[in-house]
Amino acid sequence: DVKVTQSSRYLVKRTGEKVFLECVQDMDHENMFWYRQDPGLGLRLIYFSYDVKMKEKGDIPEGYSVSREKKERFSLILESASTNQTSMYLCASRPTGTGGYGYTFGSGTRLTVV
Amino acid sequence: AQKVTQAQTEISVVEKEDVTLDCVYETRDTTYYLFWYKQPPSGELVFLIRRNSFDEQNEISGRYSWNFQKSTSSFNFTITASQVVDSAVYFCALSEAGIYNQGGKLIFGQGTELSVKP
């Protein structure tokens, strides 16, 4: 069964901490995405990557960075966590050239910054 | 730019009622894909349907049906004879197929929370 695995389901961090959210996919997908989900705002794209070491900003990149050193792993980094980054974070991946098919989502990480 | 709007934030119905969730989109591309996802209380996104921009045929799958109209840039979702298990947040999403959408990112609407009461 194909999978996108997010390392933590729930996470509590303190303001100012550096936070790493990890996402691993086992499908050899080229493209990976990080979304943030907030009530009434839907899922908003933070960053995405279409190849190893490649990254592109999404709609709300401020306060975040990403790392993709290996094809299967895409990390979201909160350099200095703030309370307004309390949210649900979803990782996704998809292969290139599938005509819109093949998106696979992780189960999400609910991050609370206190 | 691409944009998806789900104007209905919350809908509450009684079991067995029919309910339609609205989705309006904007895109500059002529080839694109539209999606509906369901997110139950467990939090996982469940894929429901994908439609490409060249296929305007309506689709029916059991109690679910979808009405795609390019003339009004809408892709509405109807649940017939709703059930309590249909209670969830539903998202409409768009992905452009052209060169401007490297990686094929999905753009989501704000979501509609459907509550079906017994």
Side-chain angles (χ1 to χ4, degrees), chain A residues 9 31 33 35 37 40-43 45 48 50 56 59 88 90 94 98-101 103 105-107, chain B residues 9 33 35 37 39 42-45 47 50 89 91 95 101-111:
Chain A
R9 188 81 171 105
N31 308 288
F33 310 86
Y35 289 89
Q37 182 180 354
L41 297 176
L43 280 74
L45 184 64
F48 67 99
Y50 52 89
E56 293 285 342
D59 298 318
M88 168 73 94
L90 285 156
R94 70 172 288 265
T98 55
Y101 283 110
Y103 293 94
F105 284 85
S107 301
Chain B
T9 306
Y33 308 100
F35 303 79
Y37 285 87
Q39 188 180 47
S42 60
E44 293 210 21
L45 280 175
F47 168 79
R50 165 201 173 275
V89 181
F91 291 100
S95 180
N101 190 16
Q102 193 165 27
K105 60 184 180 288
L106 277 173
I107 298 300
F108 286 84
Q110 300 90 328

Side-chain angles (χ1 to χ4, degrees), chain B residues 78-117:
Chain B
T78 298
I79 303 174
T80 303
S82 60
Q83 300 176 0
V84 172
V85 293
D86 296 326
S87 297
V89 181
Y90 291 87
F91 291 100
C92 181
L94 163 72
S95 180
E96 293 175 338
I99 57 172
Y100 301 109
N101 190 16
Q102 193 165 27
K105 60 184 180 288
L106 277 173
I107 298 300
F108 286 84
Q110 300 90 328
T112 297
E113 184 170 5
L114 174 65
S115 176
V116 182
K117 300 189 186 307

Side-chain angles (χ1 to χ4, degrees), chain B residues 48-110:
Chain B
L48 295 178
I49 190 172
R50 165 201 173 275
R51 220 58 185 145
N52 76 52
S53 52
F54 297 109
D55 185 358
E56 285 193 74
Q57 280 192 341
N58 291 333
E59 174 128 354
I60 298 174
S61 176
R63 296 184 297 106
Y64 294 172
S65 62
W66 290 270
N67 183 359
F68 175 29
Q69 291 196 338
K70 285 176 78 170
S71 60
T72 56
S73 297
S74 64
F75 185 44
N76 296 336
F77 172 32
T78 298
I79 303 174
T80 303
S82 60
Q83 300 176 0
V84 172
V85 293
D86 296 326
S87 297
V89 181
Y90 291 87
F91 291 100
C92 181
L94 163 72
S95 180
E96 293 175 338
I99 57 172
Y100 301 109
N101 190 16
Q102 193 165 27
K105 60 184 180 288
L106 277 173
I107 298 300
F108 286 84
Q110 300 90 328

Side-chain angles (χ1 to χ4, degrees), chain B residues 15-34:
Chain B
E15 214 171 13
K16 298 184 183 173
E17 279 187 45
D18 298 346
V19 57
T20 295
L21 310 182
D22 297 333
C23 174
V24 174
Y25 63 92
E26 295 175 29
T27 178
R28 57 188 165 185
D29 215 336
T30 55
T31 303
Y32 51 90
Y33 308 100
L34 295 164

Side-chain angles (χ1 to χ4, degrees), chain A residues 43-113:
Chain A
L43 280 74
R44 294 178 291 166
L45 184 64
I46 305 171
Y47 267 97
F48 67 99
S49 167
Y50 52 89
D51 202 351
V52 176
K53 297 193 185 296
M54 305 304 290
K55 58 187 179 186
E56 293 285 342
K57 293 179 180 179
D59 298 318
I60 52 165
E62 297 78 18
Y64 303 94
S65 62
V66 289
S67 172
R68 193 162 180 209
E69 295 297 317
K70 293 184 177 182
K71 192 174 186 180
E72 66 270 20
R73 185 181 295 270
F74 191 36
S75 304
L76 179 68
I77 304 158
L78 287 65
E79 297 289 344
S80 178
S82 64
T83 54
N84 63 12
Q85 293 177 309
T86 291
S87 187
M88 168 73 94
Y89 292 87
L90 285 156
C91 176
S93 72
R94 70 172 288 265
T96 296
T98 55
Y101 283 110
Y103 293 94
T104 304
F105 284 85
S107 301
T109 295
R110 188 167 292 281
L111 173 68
T112 302
V113 182

